[in-house]
């Protein structure tokens, strides 16, 4: 069973930076995509950044400020967040869609989340 663990969250002032990391334990066959989601209090979880087939995509509100990078072969994922704003405050989740074995279906896996708080 693959498990994802995030780290790097914390408290930062407006304009500051944080780097989130996600590491996996357990064996897997192939990673299809890796991503970062976030969920603010009272809001739905939203996709923040996606890494798939060497390409990246971001929601408009973080473009130019956040950078996603990782190694699908090792299931390691990072999110560099610059110029942070109070509206970036949320729990950030690492996610990976992968096959555990060659015959397994693609399935999403989630980390437990890490809190990011940006003060105004």
């Amino acid at each position: 069973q693959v498990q994802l663990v995030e780290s790097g969250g914390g408290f930062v002032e407006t304009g500051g930076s944080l780097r989130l990391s996600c590491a996996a334990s357990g064996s897997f066959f192939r990673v299809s995509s890796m991503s970062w989601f976030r969920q603010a209090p009272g809001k739905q979880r939203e996709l923040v950044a996606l890494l798939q087939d060497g390409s990246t995509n971001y929601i408009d509100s973080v473009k130019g400020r956040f950078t996603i990078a990782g190694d699908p072969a090792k299931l390691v994922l990072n999110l560099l967040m610059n110029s942070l704003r109070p509206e970036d405050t949320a729990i950030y989740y690492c996610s990976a869609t992968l096959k555990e074995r060659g015959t397994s279906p693609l399935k999403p896996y989630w980390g437990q989340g890490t809190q990011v708080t940006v003060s105004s």
Side-chain angles (χ1 to χ4, degrees), residues 2-105:
V2 172
Q3 291 186 325
L4 304 178
V5 178
E6 302 97 336
S7 62
F11 182 93
V12 65
E13 293 183 348
T14 296
S17 298
L18 284 174
R19 181 175 179 268
L20 305 183
S21 296
C22 177
S25 61
S27 63
F28 57 93
F29 177 73
R30 182 176 67 84
V31 173
S32 173
S33 65
M34 299 188 292
S35 53
W36 288 97
F37 285 75
R38 68 185 179 187
Q39 187 166 19
K43 295 188 177 181
Q44 289 189 331
R45 190 174 297 188
E46 65 176 352
L47 175 62
V48 175
L50 172 70
L51 176 63
Q52 185 172 29
D53 297 328
S55 296
T56 59
N57 281 286
Y58 303 90
I59 55 171
D60 287 344
S61 61
V62 308
K63 285 181 180 177
R65 301 188 297 120
F66 290 13
T67 303
I68 187 172
D71 185 346
K74 298 179 181 178
L75 223 177
V76 173
L77 187 65
N78 297 304
L79 184 69
L80 177 60
M81 305 185 294
N82 293 322
S83 302
L84 283 162
R85 306 166 180 170
E87 54 264 38
D88 295 318
T89 295
I91 300 174
Y92 284 71
Y93 297 90
C94 167
S95 180
T97 300
L98 58 87
K99 290 188 172 191
E100 284 201 25
R101 291 176 293 278
T103 56
S104 303

